[in-house]
């Protein structure tokens, strides 16, 4: 199969981790007889420096004309003082909206080899952590009107949160469909005791549930959900929620699984052209040091093969190789055990060595 992948290296550790993911994809192409062509896309701080715009239209078009997009991360202190609508992160929001990817799916799964890296008590971890957060990605408060004005000598800011029934319904369907493929439990998270948009959210989810009688729907307020994720994460299978709640809850969920460096994500809309990226940011504190963990990006590439290209065996091949490298005790700095006796059975590796080890363990089934 021939596939054209738009590649956004971005800022900070972005170029390092994407390089490793592309090496892995090249080896997969060789093993399975595919051709992956990469089209470079400038986005984020590097695009501001080069083009004066975090996502020039031509770069967005390159993404929309590709079969899928692989992204490292964008942003950094250097661009903190540029105006809000020209920030690197604005490029990311425009990319998601421009590609129409309204559903962000983040697995929160603990790798058995890393269970001690979870900050939760072992007794909680032992019950298992394996759920998915389905987050609405291109609506809600991040896309509403943002305004700061001076009213009678005082600065007043507002951010508007809007959801239409249709926007809620299409993400709700992804939630139900995802639950259907897992253990058929869907938890809809909102703040219906306070927000009108959440009351509409809840109403639409319950209306949809009549079409999915095999899926058990529950409701949870977002503040309670934040507590339950640390108290009893094994109760969750699929969580569906709006943009801002999903942003916050999925970062919390990533922490309980050990490291932010391990977690991939996919964002999809109505077509198979998706956006695949690790959930972490550009980590400027470790950029250029060859210590970043590339596994979140490599697993994002595996998700791309699975969900956009229907290459199940190829995706399994990458995930198995990651598991074997962990079995052998290799750990990037962020997942090195803190406990001395456990650390004795592990060896710390850098970003490029991690990529090489995963490539070495890729075996065609
Ligand atoms: P961050 O995720 O970049 O870093 C948080 C901490 O996790 C840091 O200590 C970092 O060193 C560590 N970390 C992150 N990824 C790692 C990896 N792969 N391996 C090892 N350690 C890793 O979050 P931040 O510091 O809040 O943000 C830094 C910049 O990234 C900001 O400009 C922010 O706006 C941007 N950001 C971008 C995205 C994105 O591109 N999707 C997402 C979040 C933040």
């Amino acid at each position: 199969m021939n596939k054209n992948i738009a590649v956004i290296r971005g800022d900070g550790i972005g170029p390092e981790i994407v390089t490793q993911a592309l090496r892995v994809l090249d080896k997969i192409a060789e093993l399975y007889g595919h051709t992956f062509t990469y089209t470079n896309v400038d986005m984020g701080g590097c695009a501001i420096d080069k083009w004066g715009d975090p996502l020039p239209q031509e770069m967005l078009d390159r993404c929309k004309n590709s079969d899928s997009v692989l992204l490292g991360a964008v942003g950094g202190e250097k661009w903190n003082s540029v105006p809000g609508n020209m920030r690197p992160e604005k490029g990311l929001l425009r990319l998601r909206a421009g590609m129409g990817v309204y559903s962000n799916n983040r697995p929160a799964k603990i790798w058995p080899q890393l269970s001690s890296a979870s900050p939760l008590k072992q007794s909680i971890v032992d019950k298992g952590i394996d759920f998915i957060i389905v987050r609405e990605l291109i609506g809600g408060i991040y896309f509403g009107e943002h305004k700061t004005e001076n009213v009678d000598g005082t600065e007043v800011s507002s951010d508007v949160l809007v959801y239409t029934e249709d926007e809620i319904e299409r993400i709700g369907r992804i939630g139900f469909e995802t639950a259907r493929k897992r253990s058929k439990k869907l938890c809809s998270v909102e703040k219906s005791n306070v927000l009108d948009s959440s009351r509409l959210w809840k109403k639409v989810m319950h209306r949809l549930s009549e079409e999915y009688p095999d899926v058990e729907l529950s409701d949870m307020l977002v503040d309670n959900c934040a507590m339950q994720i640390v108290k009893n994460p094994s109760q969750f299978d699929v969580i569906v929620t709006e943009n801002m709640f999903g942003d916050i809850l999925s970062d919390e969920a990533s922490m309980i699984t050990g490291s932010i460096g391990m977690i991939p994500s996919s964002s999809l809309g109505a077509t198979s052209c998706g956006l695949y990226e690790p959930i972490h940011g550009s980590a400027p504190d470790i950029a250029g040091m060859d210590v970043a963990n590339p596994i979140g990006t490599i697993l994002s590439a595996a998700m791309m093969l699975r969900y956009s290209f229907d290459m199940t065996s190829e995706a399994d091949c990458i995930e198995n190789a990651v598991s074997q490298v962990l079995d052998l005790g290799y750990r990037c700095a962020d997942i090195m055990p803190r406990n001395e006796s456990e650390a004795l059975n592990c060896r710390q590796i850098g970003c490029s060595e991690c990529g090489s080890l995963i490539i070495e363990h890729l075996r065609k089934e």
Side-chain angles (χ1 to χ4, degrees):
M1 236 187 256
N2 289 357
K3 294 289 175 192
N4 173 20
I5 301 172
V7 175
I8 306 175
R9 290 177 171 76
D11 309 311
I13 59 170
E16 303 164 49
I17 53 180
V18 168
T19 297
Q20 300 314 315
L22 298 186
R23 290 178 63 210
V24 170
L25 284 175
D26 284 342
K27 185 68 189 180
I28 287 287
E30 186 191 314
L31 287 174
Y32 288 84
H34 302 305
T35 304
F36 298 138
T37 310
Y38 307 121
T39 304
N40 275 321
V41 170
D42 298 324
M43 188 184 88
C46 59
I48 297 174
D49 290 350
K50 201 161 158 190
W51 308 104
D53 184 338
L55 182 66
Q57 185 61 43
E58 194 210 317
M59 297 294 160
L60 174 59
D61 291 343
R62 284 186 193 179
C63 293
K64 287 165 77 173
N65 294 331
S66 71
D67 291 310
S68 260
V69 181
L70 181 68
L71 162 67
V74 297
E77 212 155 285
K78 180 177 173 194
W79 303 280
N80 278 355
S81 56
V82 300
N85 65 342
M86 290 299 282
R87 293 280 296 265
E89 296 76 9
K90 205 69 188 177
L92 190 52
L93 296 185
R94 271 168 37 200
L95 177 68
R96 290 169 178 165
M99 289 180 67
V101 287
Y102 56 80
S103 166
N104 178 245
N105 309 307
R106 281 191 188 186
K109 180 179 164 151
I110 197 141
W111 289 78
Q113 303 93 330
L114 303 180
S115 67
S116 66
S118 172
L120 298 185
K121 277 189 203 147
Q122 200 59 40
S123 59
I124 297 177
V125 175
D126 287 345
K127 286 194 208 154
I129 300 176
D130 184 3
F131 59 97
I132 289 193
I133 297 186
V134 176
R135 162 190 170 196
E136 200 292 324
L137 201 59
I138 56 174
I141 200 162
Y142 294 175
F143 287 85
E145 188 192 2
H146 308 291
K147 197 167 65 177
T148 299
E149 55 193 347
N150 197 302
V151 179
D152 300 332
T154 302
E155 283 212 293
V156 180
S157 294
S158 61
D159 302 281
V160 179
L161 199 179
V162 179
Y163 268 113
T164 65
E165 271 187 274
D166 289 353
E167 283 173 322
I168 300 172
E169 186 174 322
R170 66 183 183 181
I171 189 72
R173 284 193 188 281
I174 303 260
F176 279 102
E177 296 289 341
T178 309
R180 224 173 215 178
K181 290 184 196 135
R182 294 172 53 98
S183 57
K184 301 186 172 56
K185 276 171 63 188
L186 178 66
C187 179
S188 163
V189 173
E190 29 71 5
K191 186 74 183 163
S192 57
N193 54 343
V194 179
L195 301 174
D196 258 39
S197 56
S198 281
R199 283 190 274 273
L200 180 61
W201 181 277
K202 190 171 173 180
K203 190 167 103 184
V204 173
M205 289 297 159
H206 280 264
R207 192 176 69 211
L208 269 182
S209 79
E210 287 168 19
E211 290 179 42
Y212 297 88
D214 51 325
V215 175
E216 184 193 322
L217 174 69
S218 59
D219 305 297
M220 195 175 278
L221 295 175
V222 62
D223 35 2
N224 184 24
C225 185
M227 293 192 286
Q228 294 300 326
I229 284 177
V230 287
K231 192 173 164 213
N232 181 16
S234 68
Q235 71 184 285
F236 295 113
D237 183 36
V238 181
I239 290 175
V240 62
T241 191
E242 61 102 85
N243 200 344
M244 182 167 67
F245 298 160
D247 188 5
I248 298 166
L249 293 178
S250 54
D251 269 14
E252 183 191 13
S254 72
M255 280 322 293
I256 65 167
T257 63
S259 169
I260 200 167
M262 293 289 298
I263 304 179
S265 78
S266 67
S267 302
L268 285 155
T271 72
S272 63
C273 177
L275 170 63
Y276 295 85
E277 53 179 319
I279 66 156
H280 56 75
S282 59
D285 52 331
I286 55 167
M289 296 162 69
D290 195 34
V291 297
N293 186 345
I295 295 180
T297 316
I298 291 169
L299 293 173
S300 299
M303 279 183 107
M304 173 188 288
L305 301 183
R306 189 183 300 284
Y307 295 115
S308 283
F309 302 163
D310 247 345
M311 296 180 183
T312 310
S313 308
E314 292 84 335
D316 288 345
C317 175
I318 296 179
E319 288 165 4
N320 291 338
V322 169
S323 188
Q324 279 171 37
V325 167
L326 295 175
D327 279 343
L328 291 169
Y330 293 109
R331 301 283 187 271
C332 289
D334 60 318
I335 51 172
M336 249 330 253
R338 307 280 168 248
N339 164 328
E340 253 178 54
S341 63
E342 248 187 273
L344 283 176
N345 299 318
C346 295
R347 183 161 84 72
Q348 191 165 321
I349 52 173
C351 183
S352 44
E353 189 178 2
C354 183
S356 301
L357 284 162
I358 291 169
I359 290 164
E360 245 174 62
H361 288 86
L362 291 171
R363 300 268 182 283
K364 187 174 173 183
E365 293 299 314

